[in-house]
Amino acid sequence: TYYDTGLTACGVTNNNNEYIAAVSHLLFDSFPGYNGANPNNNPICGRKVTASYEGKSVTVTITDRCTGCALTDLDFSPAAFNQLASFDLGRLHGVTWVWD
């Protein structure tokens, strides 16, 4: 899916034109090196992933936490989502992604 960006769990303010994404709260909260105290200090913040869907791909920076996402879901900024599919689709099934 995609969402309107703003102040993120990583403590940065993004806009809808940036290529960013939120990872599942399950992944965010259990990421190696994160002690659970201050989400701004989570080592997942600033990491890049490349997501692919039906032959298209986009590289995004992880800057946020998604409470409605399953473990391997990504929630994209509108600009990043638009690189993969039309907004009309809303939720994409079959997206794969890898750490860069």
PDB file of all heavy atoms in Angstrom, residues 47-85:
ATOM      1  N   ARG A  47      18.273   2.254   6.293  1.00  0.00           N
ATOM      2  CA  ARG A  47      18.627   1.117   5.440  1.00  0.00           C
ATOM      3  C   ARG A  47      17.835   1.190   4.140  1.00  0.00           C
ATOM      4  O   ARG A  47      16.726   1.693   4.111  1.00  0.00           O
ATOM      5  CB  ARG A  47      18.318  -0.221   6.130  1.00  0.00           C
ATOM      6  CG  ARG A  47      19.110  -0.514   7.386  1.00  0.00           C
ATOM      7  CD  ARG A  47      20.505  -1.080   7.141  1.00  0.00           C
ATOM      8  NE  ARG A  47      20.560  -2.195   6.233  1.00  0.00           N
ATOM      9  CZ  ARG A  47      20.574  -3.487   6.585  1.00  0.00           C
ATOM     10  NH1 ARG A  47      20.516  -3.829   7.850  1.00  0.00           N
ATOM     11  NH2 ARG A  47      20.648  -4.430   5.663  1.00  0.00           N
ATOM     12  N   LYS A  48      18.410   0.660   3.070  1.00  0.00           N
ATOM     13  CA  LYS A  48      17.737   0.671   1.774  1.00  0.00           C
ATOM     14  C   LYS A  48      17.319  -0.741   1.379  1.00  0.00           C
ATOM     15  O   LYS A  48      18.017  -1.707   1.692  1.00  0.00           O
ATOM     16  CB  LYS A  48      18.646   1.269   0.703  1.00  0.00           C
ATOM     17  CG  LYS A  48      18.890   2.756   0.904  1.00  0.00           C
ATOM     18  CD  LYS A  48      19.625   3.343  -0.276  1.00  0.00           C
ATOM     19  CE  LYS A  48      19.941   4.800  -0.085  1.00  0.00           C
ATOM     20  NZ  LYS A  48      18.796   5.658   0.070  1.00  0.00           N
ATOM     21  N   VAL A  49      16.175  -0.818   0.720  1.00  0.00           N
ATOM     22  CA  VAL A  49      15.697  -2.075   0.145  1.00  0.00           C
ATOM     23  C   VAL A  49      15.255  -1.796  -1.282  1.00  0.00           C
ATOM     24  O   VAL A  49      14.872  -0.670  -1.620  1.00  0.00           O
ATOM     25  CB  VAL A  49      14.533  -2.700   0.949  1.00  0.00           C
ATOM     26  CG1 VAL A  49      14.936  -2.961   2.389  1.00  0.00           C
ATOM     27  CG2 VAL A  49      13.292  -1.855   0.891  1.00  0.00           C
ATOM     28  N   THR A  50      15.327  -2.832  -2.104  1.00  0.00           N
ATOM     29  CA  THR A  50      14.782  -2.749  -3.455  1.00  0.00           C
ATOM     30  C   THR A  50      13.578  -3.670  -3.526  1.00  0.00           C
ATOM     31  O   THR A  50      13.684  -4.865  -3.241  1.00  0.00           O
ATOM     32  CB  THR A  50      15.828  -3.136  -4.515  1.00  0.00           C
ATOM     33  OG1 THR A  50      16.909  -2.202  -4.442  1.00  0.00           O
ATOM     34  CG2 THR A  50      15.234  -3.096  -5.915  1.00  0.00           C
ATOM     35  N   ALA A  51      12.451  -3.074  -3.861  1.00  0.00           N
ATOM     36  CA  ALA A  51      11.188  -3.810  -3.966  1.00  0.00           C
ATOM     37  C   ALA A  51      10.858  -4.014  -5.442  1.00  0.00           C
ATOM     38  O   ALA A  51      11.096  -3.126  -6.273  1.00  0.00           O
ATOM     39  CB  ALA A  51      10.069  -3.033  -3.289  1.00  0.00           C
ATOM     40  N   SER A  52      10.296  -5.185  -5.754  1.00  0.00           N
ATOM     41  CA  SER A  52       9.953  -5.518  -7.138  1.00  0.00           C
ATOM     42  C   SER A  52       8.515  -6.007  -7.223  1.00  0.00           C
ATOM     43  O   SER A  52       8.033  -6.710  -6.328  1.00  0.00           O
ATOM     44  CB  SER A  52      10.888  -6.604  -7.673  1.00  0.00           C
ATOM     45  OG  SER A  52      12.229  -6.169  -7.613  1.00  0.00           O
ATOM     46  N   TYR A  53       7.876  -5.630  -8.343  1.00  0.00           N
ATOM     47  CA  TYR A  53       6.495  -6.040  -8.582  1.00  0.00           C
ATOM     48  C   TYR A  53       6.248  -6.056 -10.083  1.00  0.00           C
ATOM     49  O   TYR A  53       6.393  -5.031 -10.744  1.00  0.00           O
ATOM     50  CB  TYR A  53       5.526  -5.077  -7.900  1.00  0.00           C
ATOM     51  CG  TYR A  53       4.067  -5.389  -8.131  1.00  0.00           C
ATOM     52  CD1 TYR A  53       3.466  -6.481  -7.509  1.00  0.00           C
ATOM     53  CD2 TYR A  53       3.296  -4.608  -8.980  1.00  0.00           C
ATOM     54  CE1 TYR A  53       2.122  -6.772  -7.719  1.00  0.00           C
ATOM     55  CE2 TYR A  53       1.955  -4.888  -9.187  1.00  0.00           C
ATOM     56  CZ  TYR A  53       1.379  -5.981  -8.560  1.00  0.00           C
ATOM     57  OH  TYR A  53       0.054  -6.273  -8.777  1.00  0.00           O
ATOM     58  N   GLU A  54       5.924  -7.234 -10.596  1.00  0.00           N
ATOM     59  CA  GLU A  54       5.577  -7.415 -12.009  1.00  0.00           C
ATOM     60  C   GLU A  54       6.566  -6.744 -12.958  1.00  0.00           C
ATOM     61  O   GLU A  54       6.184  -5.996 -13.863  1.00  0.00           O
ATOM     62  CB  GLU A  54       4.153  -6.946 -12.262  1.00  0.00           C
ATOM     63  CG  GLU A  54       3.124  -7.805 -11.541  1.00  0.00           C
ATOM     64  CD  GLU A  54       1.689  -7.522 -11.947  1.00  0.00           C
ATOM     65  OE1 GLU A  54       1.428  -6.545 -12.688  1.00  0.00           O
ATOM     66  OE2 GLU A  54       0.824  -8.301 -11.502  1.00  0.00           O
ATOM     67  N   GLY A  55       7.852  -7.001 -12.749  1.00  0.00           N
ATOM     68  CA  GLY A  55       8.900  -6.512 -13.642  1.00  0.00           C
ATOM     69  C   GLY A  55       9.381  -5.101 -13.379  1.00  0.00           C
ATOM     70  O   GLY A  55      10.293  -4.626 -14.052  1.00  0.00           O
ATOM     71  N   LYS A  56       8.797  -4.417 -12.420  1.00  0.00           N
ATOM     72  CA  LYS A  56       9.233  -3.073 -12.070  1.00  0.00           C
ATOM     73  C   LYS A  56       9.882  -3.123 -10.701  1.00  0.00           C
ATOM     74  O   LYS A  56       9.568  -3.970  -9.880  1.00  0.00           O
ATOM     75  CB  LYS A  56       8.043  -2.114 -12.039  1.00  0.00           C
ATOM     76  CG  LYS A  56       7.369  -1.944 -13.383  1.00  0.00           C
ATOM     77  CD  LYS A  56       6.199  -1.004 -13.272  1.00  0.00           C
ATOM     78  CE  LYS A  56       5.532  -0.837 -14.624  1.00  0.00           C
ATOM     79  NZ  LYS A  56       4.350   0.047 -14.516  1.00  0.00           N
ATOM     80  N   SER A  57      10.801  -2.185 -10.463  1.00  0.00           N
ATOM     81  CA  SER A  57      11.437  -2.148  -9.152  1.00  0.00           C
ATOM     82  C   SER A  57      11.713  -0.712  -8.732  1.00  0.00           C
ATOM     83  O   SER A  57      11.762   0.194  -9.557  1.00  0.00           O
ATOM     84  CB  SER A  57      12.735  -2.971  -9.141  1.00  0.00           C
ATOM     85  OG  SER A  57      13.672  -2.404 -10.019  1.00  0.00           O
ATOM     86  N   VAL A  58      11.865  -0.540  -7.422  1.00  0.00           N
ATOM     87  CA  VAL A  58      12.181   0.761  -6.853  1.00  0.00           C
ATOM     88  C   VAL A  58      13.024   0.534  -5.603  1.00  0.00           C
ATOM     89  O   VAL A  58      12.799  -0.419  -4.861  1.00  0.00           O
ATOM     90  CB  VAL A  58      10.892   1.557  -6.515  1.00  0.00           C
ATOM     91  CG1 VAL A  58      10.058   0.870  -5.453  1.00  0.00           C
ATOM     92  CG2 VAL A  58      11.207   2.997  -6.113  1.00  0.00           C
ATOM     93  N   THR A  59      14.004   1.393  -5.400  1.00  0.00           N
ATOM     94  CA  THR A  59      14.825   1.348  -4.196  1.00  0.00           C
ATOM     95  C   THR A  59      14.326   2.442  -3.253  1.00  0.00           C
ATOM     96  O   THR A  59      14.153   3.600  -3.657  1.00  0.00           O
ATOM     97  CB  THR A  59      16.307   1.559  -4.530  1.00  0.00           C
ATOM     98  OG1 THR A  59      16.722   0.493  -5.395  1.00  0.00           O
ATOM     99  CG2 THR A  59      17.168   1.546  -3.274  1.00  0.00           C
ATOM    100  N   VAL A  60      14.065   2.041  -2.013  1.00  0.00           N
ATOM    101  CA  VAL A  60      13.519   2.956  -1.015  1.00  0.00           C
ATOM    102  C   VAL A  60      14.363   2.924   0.246  1.00  0.00           C
ATOM    103  O   VAL A  60      15.052   1.942   0.522  1.00  0.00           O
ATOM    104  CB  VAL A  60      12.054   2.610  -0.669  1.00  0.00           C
ATOM    105  CG1 VAL A  60      11.150   2.808  -1.877  1.00  0.00           C
ATOM    106  CG2 VAL A  60      11.929   1.198  -0.130  1.00  0.00           C
ATOM    107  N   THR A  61      14.282   3.989   1.004  1.00  0.00           N
ATOM    108  CA  THR A  61      14.927   4.076   2.308  1.00  0.00           C
ATOM    109  C   THR A  61      13.877   3.803   3.377  1.00  0.00           C
ATOM    110  O   THR A  61      12.774   4.345   3.322  1.00  0.00           O
ATOM    111  CB  THR A  61      15.530   5.480   2.516  1.00  0.00           C
ATOM    112  OG1 THR A  61      16.454   5.748   1.448  1.00  0.00           O
ATOM    113  CG2 THR A  61      16.255   5.567   3.851  1.00  0.00           C
ATOM    114  N   ILE A  62      14.227   2.973   4.346  1.00  0.00           N
ATOM    115  CA  ILE A  62      13.317   2.669   5.446  1.00  0.00           C
ATOM    116  C   ILE A  62      13.388   3.806   6.463  1.00  0.00           C
ATOM    117  O   ILE A  62      14.454   4.086   7.021  1.00  0.00           O
ATOM    118  CB  ILE A  62      13.680   1.323   6.118  1.00  0.00           C
ATOM    119  CG1 ILE A  62      13.669   0.184   5.099  1.00  0.00           C
ATOM    120  CG2 ILE A  62      12.745   1.052   7.292  1.00  0.00           C
ATOM    121  CD1 ILE A  62      12.376  -0.012   4.356  1.00  0.00           C
ATOM    122  N   THR A  63      12.242   4.456   6.674  1.00  0.00           N
ATOM    123  CA  THR A  63      12.203   5.569   7.628  1.00  0.00           C
ATOM    124  C   THR A  63      11.018   5.489   8.589  1.00  0.00           C
ATOM    125  O   THR A  63      10.840   6.396   9.399  1.00  0.00           O
ATOM    126  CB  THR A  63      12.134   6.934   6.910  1.00  0.00           C
ATOM    127  OG1 THR A  63      10.927   7.008   6.165  1.00  0.00           O
ATOM    128  CG2 THR A  63      13.331   7.154   6.003  1.00  0.00           C
ATOM    129  N   ASP A  64      10.220   4.416   8.479  1.00  0.00           N
ATOM    130  CA  ASP A  64       9.013   4.407   9.289  1.00  0.00           C
ATOM    131  C   ASP A  64       8.606   2.991   9.680  1.00  0.00           C
ATOM    132  O   ASP A  64       9.158   2.007   9.189  1.00  0.00           O
ATOM    133  CB  ASP A  64       7.869   5.081   8.532  1.00  0.00           C
ATOM    134  CG  ASP A  64       6.884   5.810   9.437  1.00  0.00           C
ATOM    135  OD1 ASP A  64       6.977   5.660  10.679  1.00  0.00           O
ATOM    136  OD2 ASP A  64       6.017   6.520   8.907  1.00  0.00           O
ATOM    137  N   ARG A  65       7.623   2.922  10.550  1.00  0.00           N
ATOM    138  CA  ARG A  65       7.106   1.690  11.149  1.00  0.00           C
ATOM    139  C   ARG A  65       5.621   1.594  10.838  1.00  0.00           C
ATOM    140  O   ARG A  65       4.883   2.557  11.033  1.00  0.00           O
ATOM    141  CB  ARG A  65       7.337   1.793  12.659  1.00  0.00           C
ATOM    142  CG  ARG A  65       6.861   0.683  13.512  1.00  0.00           C
ATOM    143  CD  ARG A  65       7.180   1.047  14.983  1.00  0.00           C
ATOM    144  NE  ARG A  65       6.788   0.000  15.893  1.00  0.00           N
ATOM    145  CZ  ARG A  65       5.591  -0.114  16.443  1.00  0.00           C
ATOM    146  NH1 ARG A  65       4.637   0.760  16.159  1.00  0.00           N
ATOM    147  NH2 ARG A  65       5.332  -1.108  17.275  1.00  0.00           N
ATOM    148  N   CYS A  66       5.176   0.448  10.368  1.00  0.00           N
ATOM    149  CA  CYS A  66       3.785   0.245   9.959  1.00  0.00           C
ATOM    150  C   CYS A  66       3.098  -0.731  10.908  1.00  0.00           C
ATOM    151  O   CYS A  66       3.447  -1.915  10.948  1.00  0.00           O
ATOM    152  CB  CYS A  66       3.744  -0.287   8.526  1.00  0.00           C
ATOM    153  SG  CYS A  66       2.105  -0.742   7.953  1.00  0.00           S
ATOM    154  N   THR A  67       2.115  -0.243  11.655  1.00  0.00           N
ATOM    155  CA  THR A  67       1.433  -1.110  12.620  1.00  0.00           C
ATOM    156  C   THR A  67       0.412  -2.032  11.959  1.00  0.00           C
ATOM    157  O   THR A  67       0.047  -3.045  12.528  1.00  0.00           O
ATOM    158  CB  THR A  67       0.721  -0.284  13.711  1.00  0.00           C
ATOM    159  OG1 THR A  67      -0.185   0.618  13.089  1.00  0.00           O
ATOM    160  CG2 THR A  67       1.728   0.476  14.541  1.00  0.00           C
ATOM    161  N   GLY A  68      -0.032  -1.713  10.746  1.00  0.00           N
ATOM    162  CA  GLY A  68      -1.007  -2.548  10.064  1.00  0.00           C
ATOM    163  C   GLY A  68      -0.403  -3.519   9.074  1.00  0.00           C
ATOM    164  O   GLY A  68      -1.132  -4.171   8.328  1.00  0.00           O
ATOM    165  N   CYS A  69       0.911  -3.625   9.062  1.00  0.00           N
ATOM    166  CA  CYS A  69       1.603  -4.475   8.084  1.00  0.00           C
ATOM    167  C   CYS A  69       1.961  -5.836   8.667  1.00  0.00           C
ATOM    168  O   CYS A  69       2.322  -5.941   9.841  1.00  0.00           O
ATOM    169  CB  CYS A  69       2.902  -3.800   7.629  1.00  0.00           C
ATOM    170  SG  CYS A  69       2.657  -2.296   6.659  1.00  0.00           S
ATOM    171  N   ALA A  70       1.889  -6.852   7.818  1.00  0.00           N
ATOM    172  CA  ALA A  70       2.399  -8.177   8.173  1.00  0.00           C
ATOM    173  C   ALA A  70       3.929  -8.131   8.122  1.00  0.00           C
ATOM    174  O   ALA A  70       4.521  -7.176   7.602  1.00  0.00           O
ATOM    175  CB  ALA A  70       1.858  -9.224   7.214  1.00  0.00           C
ATOM    176  N   LEU A  71       4.571  -9.149   8.624  1.00  0.00           N
ATOM    177  CA  LEU A  71       6.027  -9.160   8.809  1.00  0.00           C
ATOM    178  C   LEU A  71       6.815  -8.699   7.590  1.00  0.00           C
ATOM    179  O   LEU A  71       7.744  -7.909   7.717  1.00  0.00           O
ATOM    180  CB  LEU A  71       6.492 -10.556   9.241  1.00  0.00           C
ATOM    181  CG  LEU A  71       7.990 -10.703   9.496  1.00  0.00           C
ATOM    182  CD1 LEU A  71       8.457  -9.791  10.628  1.00  0.00           C
ATOM    183  CD2 LEU A  71       8.335 -12.147   9.820  1.00  0.00           C
ATOM    184  N   THR A  72       6.490  -9.162   6.398  1.00  0.00           N
ATOM    185  CA  THR A  72       7.299  -8.829   5.217  1.00  0.00           C
ATOM    186  C   THR A  72       6.667  -7.750   4.342  1.00  0.00           C
ATOM    187  O   THR A  72       7.143  -7.492   3.243  1.00  0.00           O
ATOM    188  CB  THR A  72       7.581 -10.079   4.377  1.00  0.00           C
ATOM    189  OG1 THR A  72       6.333 -10.647   3.949  1.00  0.00           O
ATOM    190  CG2 THR A  72       8.380 -11.103   5.162  1.00  0.00           C
ATOM    191  N   ASP A  73       5.606  -7.100   4.809  1.00  0.00           N
ATOM    192  CA  ASP A  73       4.969  -6.030   4.038  1.00  0.00           C
ATOM    193  C   ASP A  73       5.811  -4.763   4.064  1.00  0.00           C
ATOM    194  O   ASP A  73       6.555  -4.512   5.017  1.00  0.00           O
ATOM    195  CB  ASP A  73       3.603  -5.671   4.630  1.00  0.00           C
ATOM    196  CG  ASP A  73       2.545  -6.721   4.402  1.00  0.00           C
ATOM    197  OD1 ASP A  73       2.794  -7.691   3.655  1.00  0.00           O
ATOM    198  OD2 ASP A  73       1.455  -6.575   4.992  1.00  0.00           O
ATOM    199  N   LEU A  74       5.643  -3.961   3.027  1.00  0.00           N
ATOM    200  CA  LEU A  74       6.185  -2.602   2.984  1.00  0.00           C
ATOM    201  C   LEU A  74       5.031  -1.653   2.713  1.00  0.00           C
ATOM    202  O   LEU A  74       4.118  -1.974   1.951  1.00  0.00           O
ATOM    203  CB  LEU A  74       7.225  -2.462   1.867  1.00  0.00           C
ATOM    204  CG  LEU A  74       8.517  -3.254   1.996  1.00  0.00           C
ATOM    205  CD1 LEU A  74       9.362  -3.068   0.733  1.00  0.00           C
ATOM    206  CD2 LEU A  74       9.300  -2.815   3.214  1.00  0.00           C
ATOM    207  N   ASP A  75       5.078  -0.500   3.319  1.00  0.00           N
ATOM    208  CA  ASP A  75       4.111   0.559   3.066  1.00  0.00           C
ATOM    209  C   ASP A  75       4.905   1.705   2.445  1.00  0.00           C
ATOM    210  O   ASP A  75       5.813   2.248   3.080  1.00  0.00           O
ATOM    211  CB  ASP A  75       3.448   0.978   4.383  1.00  0.00           C
ATOM    212  CG  ASP A  75       2.097   1.636   4.191  1.00  0.00           C
ATOM    213  OD1 ASP A  75       1.612   1.699   3.049  1.00  0.00           O
ATOM    214  OD2 ASP A  75       1.524   2.083   5.191  1.00  0.00           O
ATOM    215  N   PHE A  76       4.564   2.069   1.207  1.00  0.00           N
ATOM    216  CA  PHE A  76       5.378   2.989   0.417  1.00  0.00           C
ATOM    217  C   PHE A  76       4.868   4.420   0.449  1.00  0.00           C
ATOM    218  O   PHE A  76       3.673   4.663   0.611  1.00  0.00           O
ATOM    219  CB  PHE A  76       5.367   2.552  -1.058  1.00  0.00           C
ATOM    220  CG  PHE A  76       5.996   1.227  -1.319  1.00  0.00           C
ATOM    221  CD1 PHE A  76       5.206   0.096  -1.481  1.00  0.00           C
ATOM    222  CD2 PHE A  76       7.366   1.088  -1.427  1.00  0.00           C
ATOM    223  CE1 PHE A  76       5.764  -1.136  -1.741  1.00  0.00           C
ATOM    224  CE2 PHE A  76       7.945  -0.142  -1.681  1.00  0.00           C
ATOM    225  CZ  PHE A  76       7.140  -1.260  -1.833  1.00  0.00           C
ATOM    226  N   SER A  77       5.785   5.345   0.220  1.00  0.00           N
ATOM    227  CA  SER A  77       5.383   6.716  -0.089  1.00  0.00           C
ATOM    228  C   SER A  77       4.668   6.675  -1.443  1.00  0.00           C
ATOM    229  O   SER A  77       4.893   5.756  -2.241  1.00  0.00           O
ATOM    230  CB  SER A  77       6.606   7.632  -0.174  1.00  0.00           C
ATOM    231  OG  SER A  77       7.429   7.235  -1.266  1.00  0.00           O
ATOM    232  N   PRO A  78       3.821   7.663  -1.731  1.00  0.00           N
ATOM    233  CA  PRO A  78       3.160   7.666  -3.035  1.00  0.00           C
ATOM    234  C   PRO A  78       4.132   7.623  -4.218  1.00  0.00           C
ATOM    235  O   PRO A  78       3.894   6.907  -5.196  1.00  0.00           O
ATOM    236  CB  PRO A  78       2.351   8.967  -3.022  1.00  0.00           C
ATOM    237  CG  PRO A  78       2.027   9.161  -1.576  1.00  0.00           C
ATOM    238  CD  PRO A  78       3.282   8.697  -0.849  1.00  0.00           C
ATOM    239  N   ALA A  79       5.228   8.362  -4.135  1.00  0.00           N
ATOM    240  CA  ALA A  79       6.193   8.373  -5.248  1.00  0.00           C
ATOM    241  C   ALA A  79       6.791   6.991  -5.483  1.00  0.00           C
ATOM    242  O   ALA A  79       6.938   6.552  -6.630  1.00  0.00           O
ATOM    243  CB  ALA A  79       7.303   9.382  -4.973  1.00  0.00           C
ATOM    244  N   ALA A  80       7.126   6.290  -4.411  1.00  0.00           N
ATOM    245  CA  ALA A  80       7.710   4.953  -4.548  1.00  0.00           C
ATOM    246  C   ALA A  80       6.674   3.965  -5.070  1.00  0.00           C
ATOM    247  O   ALA A  80       6.962   3.167  -5.970  1.00  0.00           O
ATOM    248  CB  ALA A  80       8.273   4.490  -3.210  1.00  0.00           C
ATOM    249  N   PHE A  81       5.462   4.015  -4.527  1.00  0.00           N
ATOM    250  CA  PHE A  81       4.396   3.112  -4.972  1.00  0.00           C
ATOM    251  C   PHE A  81       4.139   3.288  -6.461  1.00  0.00           C
ATOM    252  O   PHE A  81       3.974   2.320  -7.201  1.00  0.00           O
ATOM    253  CB  PHE A  81       3.111   3.391  -4.182  1.00  0.00           C
ATOM    254  CG  PHE A  81       1.996   2.422  -4.486  1.00  0.00           C
ATOM    255  CD1 PHE A  81       1.809   1.303  -3.689  1.00  0.00           C
ATOM    256  CD2 PHE A  81       1.128   2.634  -5.551  1.00  0.00           C
ATOM    257  CE1 PHE A  81       0.779   0.408  -3.956  1.00  0.00           C
ATOM    258  CE2 PHE A  81       0.098   1.753  -5.823  1.00  0.00           C
ATOM    259  CZ  PHE A  81      -0.073   0.630  -5.029  1.00  0.00           C
ATOM    260  N   ASN A  82       4.125   4.529  -6.909  1.00  0.00           N
ATOM    261  CA  ASN A  82       3.840   4.845  -8.311  1.00  0.00           C
ATOM    262  C   ASN A  82       4.893   4.272  -9.261  1.00  0.00           C
ATOM    263  O   ASN A  82       4.629   4.098 -10.450  1.00  0.00           O
ATOM    264  CB  ASN A  82       3.718   6.357  -8.484  1.00  0.00           C
ATOM    265  CG  ASN A  82       3.029   6.734  -9.770  1.00  0.00           C
ATOM    266  OD1 ASN A  82       2.070   6.085 -10.185  1.00  0.00           O
ATOM    267  ND2 ASN A  82       3.501   7.787 -10.392  1.00  0.00           N
ATOM    268  N   GLN A  83       6.088   3.980  -8.769  1.00  0.00           N
ATOM    269  CA  GLN A  83       7.112   3.342  -9.594  1.00  0.00           C
ATOM    270  C   GLN A  83       6.796   1.863  -9.834  1.00  0.00           C
ATOM    271  O   GLN A  83       7.299   1.261 -10.779  1.00  0.00           O
ATOM    272  CB  GLN A  83       8.492   3.468  -8.941  1.00  0.00           C
ATOM    273  CG  GLN A  83       9.014   4.875  -8.847  1.00  0.00           C
ATOM    274  CD  GLN A  83       9.154   5.517 -10.208  1.00  0.00           C
ATOM    275  OE1 GLN A  83       9.840   5.001 -11.091  1.00  0.00           O
ATOM    276  NE2 GLN A  83       8.489   6.640 -10.408  1.00  0.00           N
ATOM    277  N   LEU A  84       5.967   1.292  -8.969  1.00  0.00           N
ATOM    278  CA  LEU A  84       5.632  -0.128  -9.079  1.00  0.00           C
ATOM    279  C   LEU A  84       4.287  -0.376  -9.739  1.00  0.00           C
ATOM    280  O   LEU A  84       4.116  -1.365 -10.458  1.00  0.00           O
ATOM    281  CB  LEU A  84       5.621  -0.771  -7.680  1.00  0.00           C
ATOM    282  CG  LEU A  84       6.936  -0.763  -6.924  1.00  0.00           C
ATOM    283  CD1 LEU A  84       6.734  -1.324  -5.520  1.00  0.00           C
ATOM    284  CD2 LEU A  84       7.990  -1.559  -7.679  1.00  0.00           C
ATOM    285  N   ALA A  85       3.314   0.483  -9.478  1.00  0.00           N
ATOM    286  CA  ALA A  85       1.963   0.229  -9.975  1.00  0.00           C
ATOM    287  C   ALA A  85       1.113   1.497  -9.889  1.00  0.00           C
ATOM    288  O   ALA A  85       1.500   2.490  -9.276  1.00  0.00           O
ATOM    289  CB  ALA A  85       1.311  -0.871  -9.143  1.00  0.00           C
TER     290      ALA A  85
END
